[in-house]
Amino acid sequence: MTDVTAPRRSTPGEVPDRRRQFLAGTIGHLVEWYDWSAYAYLAIFFADKFFPQDSASSLVPMLGTFGVFAVGFLARPFGGLVLGAFGDRYGRRAALTLSIAMMGGGSLLIAALPTYAQVGVVAPALLVVARLAQGISTGGEWGAASAFMVESAPPHRRGLYSSFLYVGSNIGKIALTSSGALLIALTGERAMGDYGWRILFGVGAALALVGWWIRRGAAETSSHTAEIRAGKAARPGVFEFARRHPVPTLQVLGISLGPAAVFYTWTAYLPAYAVTAGGVTKGQALTAGTISLVVFAIAQPIAGVLSDRIGRKPLLLVYSVGFCAGTVPLLDLAGGSMIRLILVQAAGLLLLSCMTAIAAAVMVEIFPARVRVTGIGVPYSVAVAVFGGTAPTIATALQAAGHVSWYGWYLVGCTALTLITVLTLRETYRTPLS
């Protein structure tokens, strides 16, 4: 049996098959985000299958289901640590194949789960297990995929390769929402609640198998892991990234927290806010979100190529200064009509693309190869869990308290922290990877 952790490297002087590397990173990330997003999108259809409805409140199933969703977010830093250490010791390819296997396994388990009526509390318990596996997978995916994609790139194309991680994740989300809309159109909402959601999770598991096969055939990008296997280098400690490289660790945290809060605000909260504020229907909000994600995906490689020509810091500054100045005015314009929602979402995501397109490249370029996967994965996952996962909740709570305008200033504060971090970075786009 082939050892999945054994790195397949090109021979000296041989250029790896960059197309295979490119597909392994992009398509694998696409599948990861199709499967990760399926839970949130389909929760409304399967909530009552795993959490019995309380006679006093019809919200009990949704509360239970989104409680499990939160468990997945909390598992992400743990995944960044465990899979990050695995990727630094055994290789990026090994971490990516394990990551996508865990994600696909979680989707397959959800697709086949018995209901609460059939097995009682075993059903929600298994749902927690599946979501924990997916949370660990997502937490480890970013660090490993970032290192793999940027290390696979030609030196003058690292920004471009980096940008396709977000291209893949956005296509994955679009594929999920469009598949769900098509299935509802063909079978109806009742059928979607009966069995349709299982089909979409099953598709996610099948896609994960394809992604696993593509990644398994990719070349390893880290020579350091081969040195560990040969006994020429010691294994990196689990927390070595923070102990020996505290400044890059804090920099990754700082450049991640602002975009995390902004991204989940623009993609998760704004559509709901526009609906509750009036003038936009649920269907129009979904359409606006899809259009904005398409614009966001198209902007990624443009920003990536631009950063390869003029540097990373100019784009990071455009994002940071732009959101410090523009967040409050943009949020004030979000409600009222579908056109305004599309314009605000698209404008915000275009500005955000200046950061997201090159985030992986910047993080890889500031961390040494020995602890690169852990050093990227852990602080990034912490930032996403603390600032991204809580953004819609904070916004909704302030809206309910009658202080919705305060939320814009909260985002400005988060972005200001990112701006301060950006100012501490050196320009790295022409720096050789260590």
Side-chain angles (χ1 to χ4, degrees), residues 67 146 242 270 286 320 381:
S146 296
L270 270 190
L286 181 61
S320 302
S381 296

Side-chain angles (χ1 to χ4, degrees), residues 9-344:
R9 292 192 59 82
S10 54
T11 58
E14 177 190 357
V15 177
D17 184 352
R18 297 195 193 278
R19 290 174 299 179
R20 181 87 183 217
Q21 302 293 98
F22 192 83
L23 287 174
T26 304
I27 294 181
H29 213 59
L30 183 159
V31 172
E32 282 272 342
W33 279 92
Y34 175 102
D35 284 23
W36 172 256
S37 304
Y39 188 98
Y41 178 74
L42 299 173
I44 192 172
F45 297 105
F46 65 75
D48 59 350
K49 302 295 189 297
F50 302 105
F51 297 92
Q53 182 170 313
D54 185 88
S55 59
S57 176
S58 61
L59 292 177
V60 169
M62 286 304 298
L63 290 172
T65 305
F66 280 115
V68 177
F69 178 76
V71 166
F73 258 100
L74 293 175
R76 290 177 67 159
F78 180 73
L81 182 64
V82 173
L83 289 185
F86 186 80
D88 284 328
R89 293 180 180 187
Y90 299 104
R92 292 44 164 144
R93 182 186 69 91
L96 289 174
T97 52
L98 179 58
S99 171
I100 202 167
M102 292 180 68
M103 181 62 75
S107 289
L108 182 62
L109 178 57
I110 296 174
L113 274 182
T115 65
Y116 185 91
Q118 294 171 324
V119 296
V121 295
V122 174
L126 289 175
L127 186 63
V128 170
V129 170
R131 198 57 182 170
L132 278 173
Q134 291 188 322
I136 293 171
S137 169
T138 305
E141 169 74 13
W142 174 255
S146 296
F148 178 85
M149 283 291 277
V150 178
E151 291 170 352
S152 295
H156 61 293
R157 289 287 182 267
R158 295 199 299 249
L160 175 62
Y161 273 57
S162 166
S163 70
F164 270 85
L165 289 177
Y166 263 88
V167 172
S169 64
N170 279 291
I171 293 176
K173 295 170 193 172
I174 293 168
L176 171 69
T177 56
S178 57
S179 298
L182 178 61
L183 196 57
I184 290 174
L186 293 175
T187 65
E189 288 193 10
R190 181 172 181 178
M192 188 70 164
D194 290 339
Y195 62 85
W197 60 272
R198 294 185 185 273
I199 293 175
L200 293 180
F201 276 111
V203 169
L207 289 174
L209 183 61
V210 175
W212 177 87
W213 176 80
I214 293 173
R215 285 183 165 181
R216 189 171 179 272
E220 177 55 56
T221 61
S222 172
S223 60
H224 175 71
T225 54
E227 294 173 359
I228 293 176
R229 286 179 170 276
K232 298 179 181 179
R235 291 183 176 182
V238 175
F239 292 101
E240 182 178 325
F241 73 95
R243 188 179 66 254
R244 296 188 62 180
H245 307 282
V247 172
T249 299
L250 291 174
Q251 287 175 329
V252 170
L253 179 66
I255 63 176
S256 300
L257 65 89
V262 166
F263 176 78
Y264 282 95
T265 298
W266 249 252
T267 58
Y269 171 69
L270 270 190
Y273 169 73
V275 171
T276 56
V280 179
T281 67
K282 292 181 179 179
Q284 289 175 331
L286 181 61
T287 300
T290 302
I291 292 172
S292 300
L293 284 176
V294 171
V295 172
F296 190 43
I298 293 172
Q300 301 301 314
I302 298 173
V305 169
L306 188 60
S307 79
D308 285 328
R309 294 184 178 181
I310 67 172
R312 317 292 187 220
K313 286 195 71 171
L315 273 75
L316 298 180
L317 289 170
V318 167
Y319 155 76
S320 302
V321 174
F323 265 104
C324 280
T327 296
V328 173
L330 283 173
L331 289 179
D332 287 343
L333 294 172
S337 71
M338 177 182 172
I339 297 299
R340 287 174 63 176
L341 177 60
I342 291 174
L343 291 175
V344 169

